[in-house]
Amino acid sequence: MAITKLLIANRGEIAVRIIRAAQDLGIKTVQVYSIADATSLAVQMADEAVEIGPPAAKKSYLNADAVLKAAKDTGADGIHPGYGFLAENADFADAVEAAGISFVGPTGDMIRTMGDKASARRAAENAGVPTVPGSDGIITDMDEAADLAEQIGYPVMIKATAGGGGRGIRVAETAEEFAELAPQASAEAAAAFGDGGLYMEKLIALARHIEVQILGDGTDFIHCYERECTLQRRRQKVWEEAPSSALSEDVREKLCSSAVALARAVGYRGAGTVEFLYDDESGRFFFIEMNTRIQVEHPVTESITGIDLVAEMIQIAGGEPLSIKQEEIVVRGHSIEVRINAEDPANNFMPFPGVVDDLRIPGGPGVRFDHMLYHGYQIPPFYDSLLGKLIVHAESRSSAITRLKRAVAELNFGELKTTTPLFLLLAEAEEVRSGNIHTNWLEPWLETNEAKLASIGDNEK
């Protein structure tokens, strides 16, 4: 049954994004919020708003019972979880469906299968998708895992099965490091996600991170081509673009077809992202994980395909079939997204919550800014520092980078420190402009350019 009233179980820029998509579909919206977010833009924009608890996320946005009660009390017949918080909580998805409310995302069982990195790897192997050499599922015996690491060769990545955002990941160069770091990764994952399970993969040192956006309605499955997210700091993406400049058309076709094969194999429903490592030297790609939710970087895919991915998610959850066929999807131009965080890049990216005492948003052709800001807004210190995402689109990658630099320069947050100086420098970096990058490129570059970054930051005062 089509959704008529949608509750948004999230905050910040993604909550604003979902509200706009729902309103475009003629759907009423309910925004839940913590006490700290009482004055947020999403609360002001939604048709209704319900307070669900104190600032701490575990007592508000992660409180599944409070979110579900708000949905029942307001008569919402759909819940969109956004990303983070409850987006990949299988038990929450089950509880929502059991209450007779549509969960905007895959079923709880799909989240369990694909959200767990070890079982997702097995599903990929069963679907014929190439995987990085590594452990067969969860590591249960550390001695056996150490023997396997010797067989596949160091360095290896130790990864938490329930990890995310770079947490629960360690790189071991030797057997001694493996013995020391594996318990650390498990403990970190247990503290962050309540699950200390680990698996292991061969490290591909000079890889690119490329991911494929897929959509499925449980019967039909399509891809919306790939995004490249190779520029990462502490394994968190900072710059995303589409399409990737590294792929030949032949590799692109194989990569995207593999992602669709995996979606078809599990009968996927909703929007998902299949993530790969791509080795420039060999031209080979390897599955690493699948995210069963909308991604932060989804706008670059929307820019090159013209598809509203959030609207598609809502319609699929309401029982409608995919509105577009594979052969109808055409890639036009090039898009880049950068994440604008309230952080001081000249001071080791220290969080910088404060008041938005001035705000100038860039515009012009091919410029989009997804954000949660308004003049006078007090940025709360309790959550992720993401303020917004600047997305540009142009006919070519070179033109998109030039447009990005112009748009970043237009942004003005008054006295607030943000990551904008980083993107001004990256847009000028020769390696970025030529596309000669890999997933471990950014952090050494930051060390080399620390003084330049500080200089730009000082000039912004």
Side-chain angles (χ1 to χ4, degrees):
M1 184 179 295
I3 294 171
T4 60
K5 194 173 193 180
L6 183 68
L7 181 140
I8 295 92
N10 213 300
R11 63 176 303 280
E13 65 85 21
I14 192 62
V16 173
R17 170 72 182 90
I18 296 167
I19 289 170
R20 286 178 170 144
Q23 291 176 342
D24 283 348
L25 293 170
I27 295 173
K28 295 290 185 183
T29 54
V30 180
Q31 178 64 47
V32 295
Y33 65 95
S34 72
I35 293 173
D37 279 334
T39 61
S40 71
L41 185 60
V43 167
Q44 297 175 34
M45 290 175 60
D47 297 291
E48 297 176 56
V50 180
E51 182 193 311
I52 55 170
K58 65 181 179 181
K59 295 183 178 179
S60 51
Y61 297 107
L62 287 170
N63 185 340
D65 291 339
V67 173
L68 201 51
K69 182 178 185 300
K72 293 175 180 175
D73 289 348
T74 56
D77 52 8
I79 295 180
H80 197 312
Y83 51 71
F85 295 135
L86 298 170
E88 292 177 289
N89 184 316
D91 292 339
F92 178 66
D94 285 344
V96 171
E97 296 285 351
I101 300 170
S102 297
F103 181 74
V104 184
T107 64
D109 285 344
M110 288 180 197
I111 294 173
R112 288 186 184 90
T113 299
M114 304 312 295
D116 181 280
K117 294 178 177 62
S119 62
R121 177 186 170 92
R122 285 196 296 274
E125 290 171 343
N126 292 337
V129 180
T131 57
V132 182
S135 60
D136 183 18
I138 299 174
I139 294 173
T140 55
D141 185 303
M142 294 306 290
D143 291 334
E144 290 181 4
D147 289 342
L148 179 60
E150 292 286 354
Q151 291 174 29
I152 65 176
Y154 286 100
V156 298
M157 289 190 77
I158 307 159
K159 304 175 75 174
T161 59
R167 288 176 291 183
I169 295 178
R170 297 290 189 278
V171 174
E173 302 277 353
T174 64
E176 289 74 22
E177 286 188 1
F178 182 87
E180 178 186 351
L181 297 176
Q184 292 180 15
S186 179
E188 184 175 281
F193 309 107
D195 182 349
L198 298 175
Y199 71 109
M200 177 177 58
E201 289 178 346
K202 170 73 175 172
L203 176 68
I204 301 174
L206 302 181
R208 291 173 182 270
H209 181 117
I210 297 178
E211 58 190 32
V212 178
Q213 177 70 59
I214 60 102
L215 287 169
D217 59 14
T219 301
D220 293 317
F221 311 92
I222 61 174
H223 68 80
C224 304
Y225 292 92
E226 85 283 0
R227 299 185 285 260
E228 178 163 354
C229 312
T230 296
L231 286 174
Q232 300 179 11
R233 175 178 174 270
R234 296 181 178 176
R235 298 193 176 85
Q236 296 200 43
K237 304 163 186 172
V238 300
W239 165 308
E240 300 105 341
E241 57 186 288
S244 168
S245 60
L247 302 185
S248 66
E249 284 305 315
D250 179 55
V251 171
R252 174 172 291 112
E253 172 59 30
K254 291 176 180 174
L255 185 85
C256 293
S257 296
S258 290
V260 172
L262 178 56
R264 183 177 293 109
V266 299
Y268 196 77
R269 184 192 75 183
T273 303
V274 186
E275 299 195 342
F276 297 90
L277 289 179
Y278 176 69
D279 185 345
D280 262 338
E281 291 187 354
S282 68
R284 298 175 65 192
F285 59 85
F286 306 94
F287 169 83
I288 48 175
E289 65 176 299
M290 181 174 184
N291 292 306
T292 57
R293 51 175 164 75
I294 194 71
Q295 293 275 95
V296 174
E297 57 270 28
H298 75 273
V300 292
T301 296
E302 295 182 329
S303 292
I304 63 166
T305 63
I307 298 170
D308 186 329
L309 293 169
V310 178
E312 285 288 332
M313 291 180 76
I314 296 170
Q315 290 171 314
I316 291 168
E320 296 183 36
L322 286 171
S323 70
I324 189 167
K325 299 182 183 303
Q326 186 67 65
E327 56 271 23
E328 296 173 334
I329 302 175
V330 178
V331 172
R332 292 186 173 86
H334 197 94
S335 182
I336 301 172
E337 171 187 297
V338 294
R339 302 187 186 198
I340 309 299
N341 289 58
E343 297 174 358
D344 183 1
N347 193 14
N348 199 29
F349 293 87
M350 182 179 291
F352 203 88
V355 176
V356 181
D357 59 359
D358 196 1
L359 181 62
R360 185 176 66 205
I361 294 173
V367 177
R368 165 178 167 182
F369 188 46
D370 282 15
H371 67 96
M372 60 177 189
L373 306 172
Y374 58 86
H375 191 276
Y377 174 59
Q378 170 69 56
I379 300 166
F382 309 104
Y383 312 108
D384 184 277
S385 61
L386 181 67
L387 300 178
K389 306 173 311 197
L390 180 60
I391 306 108
V392 298
H393 180 260
E395 288 303 310
S396 67
R397 183 171 187 271
S398 175
S399 297
I401 292 175
T402 301
R403 180 164 286 167
L404 175 73
K405 186 178 175 183
R406 186 267 293 172
V408 171
E410 280 188 42
L411 269 172
N412 187 345
F413 300 102
E415 294 296 317
L416 200 64
K417 294 283 189 183
T418 74
T419 47
T420 51
L422 169 64
F423 302 119
L424 288 173
L425 268 189
L426 283 176
E428 294 178 344
E430 181 182 342
E431 293 95 333
V432 173
R433 296 195 75 93
S434 66
N436 185 24
I437 53 175
H438 52 79
T439 52
N440 295 315
W441 177 84
L442 180 56
E443 294 197 41
W445 180 89
L446 283 170
E447 291 180 11
T448 303
N449 290 276
E450 187 176 6
K452 286 185 180 178
L453 208 53
S455 173
I456 294 178
D458 287 341
N459 290 336
E460 285 201 333
K461 288 179 181 177

